[in-house]
Amino acid sequence: MPRIAAKLPRRRRRLCADEDRLGDLPDDLLLDILRRLDTRTALGAAALSRRWASLPREVPVLDLKVSDILPPRYHRCFRLSEDARDSKISSTLSDRRLLEAITARYERRAMRSMVCSLKSLLASQARRRVERLSLEVFAYSTSACINRLVVDAVDSWGVRDLEVVATPTGPLTRLEPSAYSFPLGLISRKPGESRLRSLKLANCLPPPLRGFNALTTLVLRDLPVPTPAAAYEEAVAACPQLQVLHILSCEIKITARRVVLDAPKSEIRELVLGGELVSVEIRSLPKLESLASQEATVLLCSAAAAPCLAHVSLAFSVGRLEGGGLAGLNRSYRDFLIQRLVQFFQGAITVKDLVLRFTGPEMWIMPENPFSAMANLRRLLVADVPSSWDASWPRLLIETAPLLESLYVHVSHSEGEPRQEVPGETSASRHYHLKELVVIGFQRTERQMRLVRFTVEVSTALRRVALLKQGRVEDKGSCCDWEVVSQQSAWCDEERLAVLDGIGCSTGQIEVVLS
Protein backbone atom coordinates (compact mmCIF):
# COMPACT_ATOMS: atom_id res chain seq x y z
CA MET A 1 0.00 0.00 0.00
CA PRO A 2 1.54 3.29 -1.05
CA ARG A 3 2.49 5.59 1.85
CA ILE A 4 0.33 8.67 1.91
CA ALA A 5 1.93 11.77 3.40
CA ALA A 6 -0.54 14.19 4.79
CA LYS A 7 0.57 17.70 5.15
CA LEU A 8 -0.57 19.09 8.49
CA PRO A 9 -1.19 22.79 8.97
CA ARG A 10 1.54 24.62 10.89
CA ARG A 11 0.56 25.50 14.46
CA ARG A 12 1.22 28.84 15.89
CA ARG A 13 4.16 28.60 18.26
CA ARG A 14 3.83 32.04 19.75
CA LEU A 15 1.49 32.19 22.73
CA CYS A 16 -1.08 34.90 22.90
CA ALA A 17 -0.23 37.64 25.31
CA ASP A 18 -3.36 37.05 27.34
CA GLU A 19 -3.20 33.25 27.33
CA ASP A 20 -3.08 31.77 30.87
CA ARG A 21 -2.14 28.11 30.76
CA LEU A 22 -1.63 27.94 34.55
CA GLY A 23 -5.17 29.18 34.94
CA ASP A 24 -6.46 26.16 33.04
CA LEU A 25 -5.27 23.78 35.75
CA PRO A 26 -7.86 22.63 38.30
CA ASP A 27 -7.75 24.14 41.81
CA ASP A 28 -6.91 20.83 43.46
CA LEU A 29 -3.79 20.46 41.31
CA LEU A 30 -2.70 24.06 41.91
CA LEU A 31 -3.14 23.68 45.69
CA ASP A 32 -1.16 20.44 45.60
CA ILE A 33 1.69 22.31 43.87
CA LEU A 34 1.59 25.10 46.45
CA ARG A 35 1.70 22.68 49.39
CA ARG A 36 4.98 21.28 48.06
CA LEU A 37 6.63 24.70 48.06
CA ASP A 38 8.13 26.61 50.96
CA THR A 39 5.94 29.35 52.38
CA ARG A 40 7.81 32.32 50.83
CA THR A 41 7.60 30.78 47.36
CA ALA A 42 3.96 29.80 47.82
CA LEU A 43 2.98 33.33 48.87
CA GLY A 44 4.95 34.81 45.97
CA ALA A 45 3.19 32.52 43.49
CA ALA A 46 0.18 34.84 43.56
CA ALA A 47 1.96 36.99 40.94
CA LEU A 48 2.14 34.16 38.41
CA SER A 49 -1.44 34.24 37.20
CA ARG A 50 -4.91 35.51 37.98
CA ARG A 51 -6.05 32.13 39.22
CA TRP A 52 -3.08 31.84 41.59
CA ALA A 53 -3.80 35.14 43.31
CA SER A 54 -6.31 33.72 45.76
CA LEU A 55 -4.89 30.21 46.15
CA PRO A 56 -2.19 31.01 48.77
CA ARG A 57 -5.05 31.83 51.15
CA GLU A 58 -5.93 28.13 51.11
CA VAL A 59 -2.45 26.87 52.07
CA PRO A 60 -2.97 25.15 55.47
CA VAL A 61 0.60 25.58 56.75
CA LEU A 62 2.59 28.82 56.98
CA ASP A 63 6.27 28.51 57.88
CA LEU A 64 7.82 31.99 58.16
CA LYS A 65 11.50 31.99 59.14
CA VAL A 66 13.91 34.89 59.27
CA SER A 67 16.74 32.40 58.67
CA ASP A 68 15.34 31.75 55.18
CA ILE A 69 16.06 35.38 54.25
CA LEU A 70 19.70 35.35 55.35
CA PRO A 71 22.18 35.03 52.44
CA PRO A 72 24.84 32.28 52.27
CA ARG A 73 27.56 34.81 53.06
CA TYR A 74 25.97 35.42 56.47
CA HIS A 75 26.39 31.78 57.44
CA ARG A 76 30.05 31.81 56.36
CA CYS A 77 30.73 34.95 58.41
CA PHE A 78 28.81 33.52 61.35
CA ARG A 79 30.92 30.34 61.37
CA LEU A 80 34.13 32.36 61.14
CA SER A 81 32.97 34.57 64.01
CA GLU A 82 32.14 31.55 66.19
CA ASP A 83 35.49 29.87 65.37
CA ALA A 84 37.36 33.08 66.18
CA ARG A 85 35.54 33.43 69.49
CA ASP A 86 36.32 29.81 70.37
CA SER A 87 39.98 30.28 69.30
CA LYS A 88 39.67 27.63 66.59
CA ILE A 89 41.28 30.04 64.14
CA SER A 90 43.92 32.72 64.68
CA SER A 91 42.40 36.19 64.62
CA THR A 92 42.80 39.61 66.14
CA LEU A 93 40.23 41.44 68.20
CA SER A 94 39.54 43.79 65.30
CA ASP A 95 38.90 40.80 63.00
CA ARG A 96 36.37 39.35 65.43
CA ARG A 97 34.60 42.67 65.83
CA LEU A 98 34.45 43.11 62.05
CA LEU A 99 32.91 39.65 61.58
CA GLU A 100 30.38 40.31 64.34
CA ALA A 101 29.47 43.67 62.77
CA ILE A 102 28.94 42.02 59.36
CA THR A 103 26.70 39.27 60.77
CA ALA A 104 24.74 41.82 62.83
CA ARG A 105 24.12 43.92 59.71
CA TYR A 106 22.82 40.90 57.79
CA GLU A 107 20.55 40.02 60.71
CA ARG A 108 19.08 43.53 60.85
CA ARG A 109 18.47 43.52 57.09
CA ALA A 110 16.79 40.12 57.23
CA MET A 111 14.58 41.20 60.11
CA ARG A 112 13.55 44.41 58.32
CA SER A 113 12.73 42.42 55.19
CA MET A 114 10.65 39.97 57.20
CA VAL A 115 8.76 42.75 58.96
CA CYS A 116 7.92 44.31 55.57
CA SER A 117 6.65 40.95 54.30
CA LEU A 118 4.50 40.47 57.40
CA LYS A 119 3.06 43.98 57.03
CA SER A 120 2.11 43.19 53.42
CA LEU A 121 0.54 39.94 54.54
CA LEU A 122 -1.54 41.78 57.16
CA ALA A 123 -2.42 44.62 54.77
CA SER A 124 -3.98 42.21 52.28
CA GLN A 125 -6.78 41.49 54.79
CA ALA A 126 -7.41 38.24 52.95
CA ARG A 127 -9.60 35.65 54.62
CA ARG A 128 -7.45 32.61 55.30
CA ARG A 129 -7.85 29.21 56.84
CA VAL A 130 -4.52 28.09 58.33
CA GLU A 131 -4.06 24.98 60.44
CA ARG A 132 -0.43 25.51 61.52
CA LEU A 133 1.73 28.64 61.80
CA SER A 134 5.46 28.42 62.50
CA LEU A 135 7.24 31.73 63.08
CA GLU A 136 10.96 32.36 63.61
CA VAL A 137 12.28 35.82 64.53
CA PHE A 138 15.33 37.28 66.18
CA ALA A 139 14.87 37.69 69.92
CA TYR A 140 15.70 41.41 69.95
CA SER A 141 12.78 42.30 67.65
CA THR A 142 10.14 44.58 69.15
CA SER A 143 8.03 45.02 66.02
CA ALA A 144 4.33 44.96 66.88
CA CYS A 145 3.38 43.54 63.47
CA ILE A 146 4.86 40.17 64.47
CA ASN A 147 2.52 40.07 67.44
CA ARG A 148 -0.41 41.26 65.28
CA LEU A 149 0.24 38.42 62.84
CA VAL A 150 0.05 35.91 65.68
CA VAL A 151 -3.16 37.50 67.00
CA ASP A 152 -4.77 37.45 63.54
CA ALA A 153 -3.68 33.84 63.01
CA VAL A 154 -5.24 32.71 66.30
CA ASP A 155 -8.40 34.85 66.16
CA SER A 156 -9.22 35.07 62.43
CA TRP A 157 -7.38 32.29 60.61
CA GLY A 158 -8.32 29.52 63.02
CA VAL A 159 -4.77 28.32 63.67
CA ARG A 160 -4.68 25.09 65.67
CA ASP A 161 -0.91 24.64 66.03
CA LEU A 162 1.31 27.66 66.75
CA GLU A 163 5.09 27.67 67.10
CA VAL A 164 7.18 30.78 67.80
CA VAL A 165 10.97 30.58 67.90
CA ALA A 166 12.99 33.61 69.06
CA THR A 167 16.62 33.09 68.04
CA PRO A 168 19.27 34.82 70.20
CA THR A 169 21.66 36.92 68.15
CA GLY A 170 24.80 38.94 68.71
CA PRO A 171 27.81 38.05 70.90
CA LEU A 172 26.35 39.48 74.12
CA THR A 173 22.89 37.95 73.81
CA ARG A 174 24.37 34.55 72.98
CA LEU A 175 26.44 34.65 76.17
CA GLU A 176 23.63 36.18 78.27
CA PRO A 177 20.45 35.55 76.28
CA SER A 178 17.19 37.23 77.16
CA ALA A 179 13.77 35.78 76.43
CA TYR A 180 11.48 37.26 73.78
CA SER A 181 8.31 38.87 75.05
CA PHE A 182 5.29 39.51 72.83
CA PRO A 183 5.09 43.32 72.39
CA LEU A 184 1.29 43.36 72.79
CA GLY A 185 1.48 41.04 75.78
CA LEU A 186 -1.03 38.56 74.30
CA ILE A 187 -1.56 36.16 71.41
CA SER A 188 -5.35 36.44 71.19
CA ARG A 189 -8.06 38.98 71.95
CA LYS A 190 -10.70 36.26 72.05
CA PRO A 191 -9.02 33.24 73.68
CA GLY A 192 -12.31 31.58 74.52
CA GLU A 193 -13.23 31.40 70.82
CA SER A 194 -9.85 30.26 69.53
CA ARG A 195 -9.17 26.80 68.07
CA LEU A 196 -5.58 26.77 69.35
CA ARG A 197 -4.73 23.31 70.64
CA SER A 198 -0.90 23.27 70.55
CA LEU A 199 1.49 26.07 71.53
CA LYS A 200 5.27 25.71 71.23
CA LEU A 201 7.51 28.55 72.38
CA ALA A 202 11.32 28.65 72.14
CA ASN A 203 13.10 31.41 74.06
CA CYS A 204 9.71 33.10 74.46
CA LEU A 205 8.06 34.02 77.72
CA PRO A 206 4.61 32.41 77.82
CA PRO A 207 1.84 34.98 77.32
CA PRO A 208 -1.34 34.93 79.44
CA LEU A 209 -3.05 31.63 78.64
CA ARG A 210 -6.21 31.86 80.69
CA GLY A 211 -9.28 31.23 78.59
CA PHE A 212 -7.68 29.03 75.91
CA ASN A 213 -10.11 26.19 76.47
CA ALA A 214 -8.96 24.16 73.44
CA LEU A 215 -5.25 24.25 74.34
CA THR A 216 -4.05 20.75 75.24
CA THR A 217 -0.30 20.85 74.41
CA LEU A 218 2.23 23.37 75.72
CA VAL A 219 5.96 23.18 74.96
CA LEU A 220 8.38 25.67 76.55
CA ARG A 221 12.05 25.40 75.67
CA ASP A 222 15.31 27.35 75.71
CA LEU A 223 14.17 29.90 78.26
CA PRO A 224 17.22 31.62 79.83
CA VAL A 225 18.27 31.97 83.47
CA PRO A 226 16.27 35.09 84.45
CA THR A 227 12.97 33.22 83.93
CA PRO A 228 11.22 32.87 87.33
CA ALA A 229 9.56 29.64 88.42
CA ALA A 230 6.22 31.46 88.62
CA ALA A 231 6.15 31.81 84.81
CA TYR A 232 5.79 28.03 84.46
CA GLU A 233 3.40 27.65 87.37
CA GLU A 234 1.05 30.34 86.07
CA ALA A 235 0.92 28.68 82.64
CA VAL A 236 -0.17 25.38 84.23
CA ALA A 237 -2.69 27.05 86.53
CA ALA A 238 -4.24 29.00 83.63
CA CYS A 239 -4.87 25.88 81.54
CA PRO A 240 -6.30 23.06 83.66
CA GLN A 241 -7.30 21.23 80.45
CA LEU A 242 -3.64 20.82 79.38
CA GLN A 243 -2.78 17.19 78.64
CA VAL A 244 0.85 17.50 77.47
CA LEU A 245 3.47 19.76 79.07
CA HIS A 246 7.13 19.92 78.00
CA ILE A 247 9.74 22.09 79.76
CA LEU A 248 12.99 21.62 77.85
CA SER A 249 16.43 23.24 78.21
CA CYS A 250 14.98 25.94 80.44
CA GLU A 251 17.01 27.52 83.20
CA ILE A 252 15.09 28.62 86.25
CA LYS A 253 16.30 31.69 88.09
CA ILE A 254 19.04 30.61 90.51
CA THR A 255 17.57 32.51 93.47
CA ALA A 256 14.09 31.09 92.83
CA ARG A 257 12.62 27.96 94.33
CA ARG A 258 11.89 24.92 92.20
CA VAL A 259 8.84 24.79 89.94
CA VAL A 260 5.92 23.50 92.00
CA LEU A 261 3.13 21.70 90.14
CA ASP A 262 0.14 21.64 92.47
CA ALA A 263 -2.95 21.34 90.27
CA PRO A 264 -5.60 18.96 91.65
CA LYS A 265 -7.90 19.69 88.67
CA SER A 266 -5.19 19.34 86.03
CA GLU A 267 -5.66 17.04 83.02
CA ILE A 268 -1.91 16.70 82.38
CA ARG A 269 -1.10 13.16 81.30
CA GLU A 270 2.39 13.63 79.85
CA LEU A 271 5.21 15.64 81.43
CA VAL A 272 8.63 15.95 79.77
CA LEU A 273 11.47 17.80 81.49
CA GLY A 274 14.98 18.56 80.30
CA GLY A 275 17.93 20.61 81.56
CA GLU A 276 20.30 20.50 84.51
CA LEU A 277 18.87 23.69 86.01
CA VAL A 278 15.29 22.46 85.85
CA SER A 279 13.94 21.26 89.21
CA VAL A 280 10.28 20.31 89.56
CA GLU A 281 8.25 19.33 92.60
CA ILE A 282 5.04 17.45 91.87
CA ARG A 283 2.49 17.94 94.64
CA SER A 284 -0.68 17.10 92.74
CA LEU A 285 -1.09 15.93 89.14
CA PRO A 286 -3.86 13.36 89.57
CA LYS A 287 -3.99 12.21 85.91
CA LEU A 288 -0.26 12.15 85.12
CA GLU A 289 0.58 8.89 83.34
CA SER A 290 3.98 9.50 81.65
CA LEU A 291 7.04 11.31 82.97
CA ALA A 292 10.34 11.77 81.13
CA SER A 293 13.29 13.62 82.62
CA GLN A 294 16.69 14.28 81.08
CA GLU A 295 19.07 15.80 83.63
CA ALA A 296 16.10 17.49 85.38
CA THR A 297 15.49 16.58 89.00
CA VAL A 298 11.95 15.61 89.97
CA LEU A 299 10.51 15.33 93.45
CA LEU A 300 7.31 13.40 94.15
CA CYS A 301 5.89 14.57 97.46
CA SER A 302 4.08 11.26 97.91
CA ALA A 303 2.51 8.40 96.00
CA ALA A 304 -0.75 10.36 96.08
CA ALA A 305 0.85 13.22 94.14
CA ALA A 306 0.65 11.23 90.89
CA PRO A 307 -1.51 8.15 91.54
CA CYS A 308 -1.79 7.25 87.81
CA LEU A 309 1.93 7.47 87.01
CA ALA A 310 2.79 4.34 85.02
CA HIS A 311 5.56 5.24 82.54
CA VAL A 312 8.83 6.88 83.62
CA SER A 313 12.05 7.63 81.74
CA LEU A 314 15.06 9.06 83.60
CA ALA A 315 18.41 10.08 82.07
CA PHE A 316 21.32 11.43 84.13
CA SER A 317 25.05 11.73 83.61
CA VAL A 318 27.74 12.55 86.18
CA GLY A 319 31.29 13.60 85.27
CA ARG A 320 34.56 12.21 86.57
CA LEU A 321 34.59 11.72 90.34
CA GLU A 322 38.26 11.08 91.03
CA GLY A 323 40.68 13.94 91.62
CA GLY A 324 40.23 17.59 92.51
CA GLY A 325 38.79 20.66 90.83
CA LEU A 326 35.64 19.78 88.89
CA ALA A 327 35.68 16.28 90.36
CA GLY A 328 34.73 17.76 93.73
CA LEU A 329 31.72 19.49 92.18
CA ASN A 330 30.79 16.24 90.44
CA ARG A 331 30.88 14.35 93.74
CA SER A 332 28.58 16.93 95.31
CA TYR A 333 26.22 16.67 92.37
CA ARG A 334 26.33 12.86 92.63
CA ASP A 335 25.35 12.97 96.29
CA PHE A 336 22.53 15.43 95.55
CA LEU A 337 21.30 13.30 92.64
CA ILE A 338 21.30 10.09 94.67
CA GLN A 339 19.26 11.83 97.36
CA ARG A 340 16.73 13.04 94.78
CA LEU A 341 16.48 9.56 93.19
CA VAL A 342 15.84 7.96 96.58
CA GLN A 343 13.04 10.46 97.25
CA PHE A 344 11.57 9.99 93.77
CA PHE A 345 11.39 6.19 93.88
CA GLN A 346 9.85 6.29 97.34
CA GLY A 347 6.86 8.07 95.76
CA ALA A 348 6.84 6.32 92.36
CA ILE A 349 5.30 3.08 93.57
CA THR A 350 2.71 2.91 90.75
CA VAL A 351 5.26 2.80 87.90
CA LYS A 352 4.85 -0.17 85.54
CA ASP A 353 7.25 0.80 82.73
CA LEU A 354 10.69 2.26 83.53
CA VAL A 355 13.59 3.44 81.33
CA LEU A 356 16.92 4.35 82.94
CA ARG A 357 19.87 5.98 81.18
CA PHE A 358 22.58 6.49 83.80
CA THR A 359 25.95 7.34 82.24
CA GLY A 360 29.33 8.80 83.10
CA PRO A 361 33.00 7.78 83.15
CA GLU A 362 32.56 6.15 86.59
CA MET A 363 29.72 4.13 88.10
CA TRP A 364 28.14 6.74 90.37
CA ILE A 365 25.05 4.87 91.59
CA MET A 366 27.09 2.91 94.14
CA PRO A 367 27.68 2.26 96.99
CA GLU A 368 24.16 3.39 98.03
CA ASN A 369 21.28 1.70 96.25
CA PRO A 370 18.79 4.49 95.38
CA PHE A 371 15.97 2.15 94.34
CA SER A 372 13.09 1.52 96.69
CA ALA A 373 10.65 -1.34 96.34
CA MET A 374 8.81 -0.97 93.02
CA ALA A 375 5.84 -3.22 93.62
CA ASN A 376 4.12 -2.63 90.25
CA LEU A 377 7.07 -2.53 87.81
CA ARG A 378 6.52 -4.85 84.83
CA ARG A 379 8.99 -3.75 82.14
CA LEU A 380 12.47 -2.26 82.59
CA LEU A 381 15.02 -0.91 80.10
CA VAL A 382 18.51 0.00 81.31
CA ALA A 383 20.01 1.77 78.28
CA ASP A 384 23.46 3.06 77.33
CA VAL A 385 25.30 1.31 80.17
CA PRO A 386 28.97 2.38 79.78
CA SER A 387 31.36 -0.54 79.38
CA SER A 388 33.41 1.03 82.21
CA TRP A 389 30.53 0.21 84.58
CA ASP A 390 29.73 -3.10 86.17
CA ALA A 391 27.18 -4.34 83.62
CA SER A 392 25.59 -6.54 86.29
CA TRP A 393 24.28 -3.58 88.31
CA PRO A 394 20.68 -3.93 86.95
CA ARG A 395 20.31 -6.97 89.22
CA LEU A 396 19.74 -4.44 92.02
CA LEU A 397 16.49 -3.63 90.26
CA ILE A 398 15.49 -7.29 89.92
CA GLU A 399 15.59 -7.60 93.69
CA THR A 400 13.40 -4.51 94.22
CA ALA A 401 10.75 -5.33 91.57
CA PRO A 402 8.94 -8.56 92.50
CA LEU A 403 6.46 -8.35 89.57
CA LEU A 404 9.05 -7.52 86.88
CA GLU A 405 8.37 -9.50 83.69
CA SER A 406 10.84 -8.13 81.08
CA LEU A 407 14.36 -6.78 81.56
CA TYR A 408 16.31 -5.17 78.70
CA VAL A 409 19.92 -4.08 79.18
CA HIS A 410 21.82 -2.17 76.50
CA VAL A 411 25.62 -1.91 76.93
CA SER A 412 27.39 0.79 74.93
CA HIS A 413 30.91 0.24 73.65
CA SER A 414 33.76 2.40 74.97
CA GLU A 415 37.41 2.12 75.89
CA GLY A 416 37.00 2.13 79.67
CA GLU A 417 37.38 -0.89 81.93
CA PRO A 418 35.11 -1.65 84.91
CA ARG A 419 36.60 -0.25 88.12
CA GLN A 420 33.83 -0.73 90.67
CA GLU A 421 31.56 -3.71 90.99
CA VAL A 422 28.23 -4.38 92.61
CA PRO A 423 28.78 -6.44 95.77
CA GLY A 424 27.21 -9.85 96.11
CA GLU A 425 26.81 -12.67 93.63
CA THR A 426 23.56 -14.44 94.41
CA SER A 427 20.33 -13.70 96.20
CA ALA A 428 18.59 -15.91 98.71
CA SER A 429 15.17 -14.85 97.42
CA ARG A 430 13.59 -16.09 94.23
CA HIS A 431 11.85 -14.09 91.50
CA TYR A 432 8.60 -15.61 90.29
CA HIS A 433 7.52 -13.33 87.42
CA LEU A 434 10.58 -12.44 85.30
CA LYS A 435 10.05 -14.14 81.94
CA GLU A 436 12.45 -12.39 79.57
CA LEU A 437 16.02 -11.07 79.65
CA VAL A 438 17.53 -9.26 76.64
CA VAL A 439 21.12 -7.96 76.62
CA ILE A 440 22.09 -5.73 73.68
CA GLY A 441 25.82 -5.22 73.08
CA PHE A 442 26.71 -8.56 74.68
CA GLN A 443 30.48 -9.21 74.54
CA ARG A 444 30.74 -12.19 76.91
CA THR A 445 32.61 -10.20 79.57
CA GLU A 446 32.74 -11.44 83.14
CA ARG A 447 30.31 -8.77 84.41
CA GLN A 448 27.81 -9.40 81.63
CA MET A 449 27.95 -13.15 82.26
CA ARG A 450 27.38 -12.44 85.95
CA LEU A 451 24.16 -10.55 85.17
CA VAL A 452 22.81 -13.36 82.97
CA ARG A 453 23.82 -16.07 85.44
CA PHE A 454 22.22 -14.21 88.35
CA THR A 455 18.97 -13.76 86.39
CA VAL A 456 18.84 -17.45 85.45
CA GLU A 457 19.47 -18.57 89.03
CA VAL A 458 16.85 -16.43 90.77
CA SER A 459 14.08 -16.43 88.12
CA THR A 460 11.77 -19.40 88.31
CA ALA A 461 9.53 -18.19 85.45
CA LEU A 462 12.31 -17.27 83.01
CA ARG A 463 11.48 -18.51 79.51
CA ARG A 464 13.64 -16.48 77.13
CA VAL A 465 17.20 -15.11 77.18
CA ALA A 466 18.35 -13.09 74.14
CA LEU A 467 22.01 -12.07 73.89
CA LEU A 468 22.67 -9.71 70.98
CA LYS A 469 26.21 -8.80 69.98
CA GLN A 470 25.12 -5.84 67.84
CA GLY A 471 22.07 -3.66 68.21
CA ARG A 472 20.66 -0.43 69.53
CA VAL A 473 17.63 0.96 71.30
CA GLU A 474 15.60 3.48 69.30
CA ASP A 475 13.14 5.89 70.85
CA LYS A 476 9.82 6.10 69.03
CA GLY A 477 8.83 9.54 70.23
CA SER A 478 6.75 9.25 73.35
CA CYS A 479 7.83 8.36 76.87
CA CYS A 480 8.83 4.70 77.32
CA ASP A 481 7.99 3.98 73.69
CA TRP A 482 11.06 2.28 72.26
CA GLU A 483 12.16 -0.73 70.26
CA VAL A 484 15.27 -2.87 69.92
CA VAL A 485 16.92 -2.83 66.50
CA SER A 486 19.23 -5.84 66.27
CA GLN A 487 21.90 -6.69 63.72
CA GLN A 488 22.66 -10.27 62.83
CA SER A 489 26.02 -11.52 64.09
CA ALA A 490 27.74 -14.86 63.69
CA TRP A 491 28.30 -17.15 66.69
CA CYS A 492 30.64 -20.09 66.44
CA ASP A 493 29.86 -23.37 68.21
CA GLU A 494 32.60 -22.76 70.76
CA GLU A 495 31.07 -19.40 71.76
CA ARG A 496 27.60 -20.91 72.04
CA LEU A 497 28.78 -23.71 74.31
CA ALA A 498 30.80 -21.30 76.46
CA VAL A 499 27.79 -19.04 76.98
CA LEU A 500 25.40 -21.89 77.78
CA ASP A 501 27.85 -23.40 80.26
CA GLY A 502 28.64 -19.99 81.77
CA ILE A 503 25.04 -19.02 82.46
CA GLY A 504 24.13 -22.47 83.75
CA CYS A 505 21.12 -23.34 81.62
CA SER A 506 20.25 -25.58 78.73
CA THR A 507 18.20 -24.73 75.65
CA GLY A 508 15.61 -27.29 76.79
CA GLN A 509 14.68 -25.29 79.88
CA ILE A 510 15.00 -21.74 78.51
CA GLU A 511 14.94 -20.43 74.97
CA VAL A 512 18.40 -18.91 74.46
CA VAL A 513 18.70 -16.62 71.43
CA LEU A 514 22.25 -15.73 70.35
CA SER A 515 22.35 -13.11 67.62
Side-chain angles (χ1 to χ4, degrees):
M1 182 176 179
R3 188 173 180 181
I4 300 174
K7 191 172 183 180
L8 299 175
R10 179 179 297 177
R11 292 179 175 271
R12 275 190 318 176
R13 298 185 179 222
R14 186 172 61 86
L15 296 174
C16 297
D18 59 347
E19 187 173 355
D20 185 4
R21 289 193 171 184
L22 289 174
D24 294 335
L25 297 176
D27 287 352
D28 291 343
L29 181 57
L30 293 178
L31 285 173
D32 186 62
I33 294 173
L34 286 179
R35 291 189 184 103
R36 298 171 187 268
L37 301 175
D38 63 88
T39 299
R40 291 187 67 206
T41 306
L43 294 176
L48 292 178
S49 99
R50 292 188 299 271
R51 283 278 307 286
W52 288 65
S54 61
L55 288 175
R57 304 173 189 172
E58 305 297 327
V59 176
V61 176
L62 290 182
D63 194 359
L64 305 172
K65 295 183 178 181
V66 68
S67 57
D68 291 340
I69 307 175
L70 294 168
R73 189 184 178 195
Y74 165 83
H75 299 288
R76 292 195 296 269
C77 291
F78 181 82
R79 286 193 294 268
L80 287 174
S81 177
E82 292 293 307
D83 290 343
R85 188 180 299 109
D86 298 337
S87 301
K88 294 180 180 179
I89 59 175
S90 58
S91 63
T92 63
L93 180 61
S94 60
D95 292 336
R96 293 196 295 271
R97 288 178 175 173
L98 177 61
L99 289 170
E100 291 169 355
I102 293 174
T103 56
R105 183 177 62 183
Y106 279 123
E107 291 167 354
R108 289 193 298 270
R109 287 181 176 177
M111 201 63 234
R112 285 198 297 266
S113 176
M114 183 173 186
V115 168
C116 290
S117 299
L118 296 183
K119 287 180 178 179
S120 299
L121 191 62
L122 291 170
S124 66
Q125 296 183 347
R127 297 187 62 182
R128 301 177 182 274
R129 179 59 64 184
V130 179
E131 291 290 321
R132 182 173 67 84
L133 172 63
S134 179
L135 188 63
E136 180 201 45
V137 299
F138 286 128
Y140 67 80
S141 177
T142 58
S143 175
C145 79
I146 297 173
N147 203 161
R148 286 200 302 270
L149 176 73
V150 173
V151 172
D152 280 5
V154 174
D155 290 346
S156 303
W157 300 354
V159 163
R160 290 179 179 270
D161 303 315
L162 174 63
E163 180 179 17
V164 181
V165 178
T167 304
T169 181
L172 293 179
T173 54
R174 290 190 186 99
L175 294 175
E176 298 180 3
S178 58
Y180 175 80
S181 179
F182 290 97
L184 302 181
L186 50 82
I187 59 173
S188 173
R189 292 186 175 89
K190 299 176 290 184
E193 301 177 12
S194 76
R195 302 166 69 224
L196 189 65
R197 63 186 180 188
S198 173
L199 177 61
K200 300 178 181 179
L201 302 176
N203 194 33
C204 294
L205 288 173
L209 297 178
R210 191 170 299 278
F212 285 90
N213 300 323
L215 187 63
T216 58
T217 300
L218 177 62
V219 178
L220 304 175
R221 62 182 177 90
D222 301 331
L223 280 169
V225 172
T227 308
Y232 307 95
E233 298 168 356
E234 290 172 2
V236 173
C239 300
Q241 78 285 349
L242 271 182
Q243 297 182 13
V244 177
L245 174 63
H246 293 191
I247 303 176
L248 306 173
S249 301
C250 297
E251 300 178 357
I252 301 167
K253 195 172 182 180
I254 297 176
T255 57
R257 53 179 171 78
R258 65 176 67 93
V259 176
V260 176
L261 300 181
D262 188 2
K265 297 182 179 180
S266 172
E267 296 286 333
I268 291 178
R269 289 168 169 78
E270 177 181 313
L271 177 62
V272 179
L273 307 170
E276 292 183 1
L277 295 183
V278 174
S279 180
V280 174
E281 178 183 347
I282 299 177
R283 293 182 181 176
S284 180
L285 288 180
K287 296 190 177 181
L288 182 65
E289 298 174 356
S290 299
L291 169 65
S293 171
Q294 183 169 1
E295 304 294 342
T297 56
V298 185
L299 176 63
L300 283 175
C301 290
S302 66
C308 298
L309 185 60
H311 311 284
V312 172
S313 176
L314 302 177
F316 293 100
S317 179
V318 178
R320 191 165 297 281
L321 302 174
E322 296 181 356
L326 289 177
L329 295 176
N330 291 336
R331 289 192 294 270
S332 298
Y333 174 65
R334 186 268 314 271
D335 296 339
F336 166 78
L337 185 56
I338 290 291
Q339 180 185 4
R340 283 289 182 262
L341 288 173
V342 170
Q343 294 173 340
F344 176 81
F345 283 109
Q346 286 175 349
I349 60 175
T350 60
V351 174
K352 296 180 180 180
D353 198 349
L354 178 63
V355 176
L356 298 177
R357 285 182 171 88
F358 293 167
T359 60
E362 301 168 38
M363 191 170 66
W364 49 266
I365 61 169
M366 297 300 296
E368 182 180 358
N369 181 2
F371 305 105
S372 304
M374 292 179 281
N376 294 286
L377 188 63
R378 300 296 197 278
R379 189 176 71 150
L380 170 64
L381 166 64
V382 182
D384 303 333
V385 177
S387 59
S388 59
W389 287 35
D390 184 348
S392 70
W393 81 262
R395 58 195 170 97
L396 298 175
L397 294 157
I398 297 177
E399 297 174 344
T400 59
L403 298 183
L404 184 65
E405 297 177 355
S406 297
L407 172 60
Y408 289 74
V409 179
H410 169 248
V411 182
S412 60
H413 299 290
S414 63
E415 301 296 328
E417 293 294 333
R419 299 181 181 179
Q420 187 179 5
E421 64 179 76
V422 179
E425 178 69 22
T426 60
S427 174
S429 61
R430 290 290 179 262
H431 200 288
Y432 300 102
H433 294 273
L434 186 60
K435 301 174 183 178
E436 180 184 33
L437 170 67
V438 179
V439 181
I440 306 110
F442 185 78
Q443 298 297 318
R444 206 156 53 100
T445 65
E446 179 185 351
R447 310 293 176 88
Q448 294 174 6
M449 293 291 291
R450 181 184 301 173
L451 170 64
V452 180
R453 185 167 54 247
F454 173 86
T455 307
V456 171
E457 289 178 354
V458 303
S459 304
T460 61
L462 192 63
R463 294 294 177 262
R464 181 174 181 268
V465 174
L467 307 177
L468 314 178
K469 285 185 177 181
Q470 302 291 333
R472 65 185 185 277
V473 177
E474 287 189 354
D475 291 323
K476 299 176 68 176
S478 59
C479 177
C480 294
D481 189 7
W482 49 269
E483 64 178 355
V484 174
V485 179
S486 62
Q487 301 175 2
Q488 201 69 27
S489 299
W491 287 71
C492 65
D493 293 338
E494 182 180 352
E495 288 179 313
R496 292 176 180 274
L497 290 175
V499 169
L500 293 176
D501 291 342
I503 63 179
C505 72
S506 65
T507 56
Q509 298 172 328
I510 300 173
E511 178 191 2
V512 180
V513 179
L514 304 178
S515 175

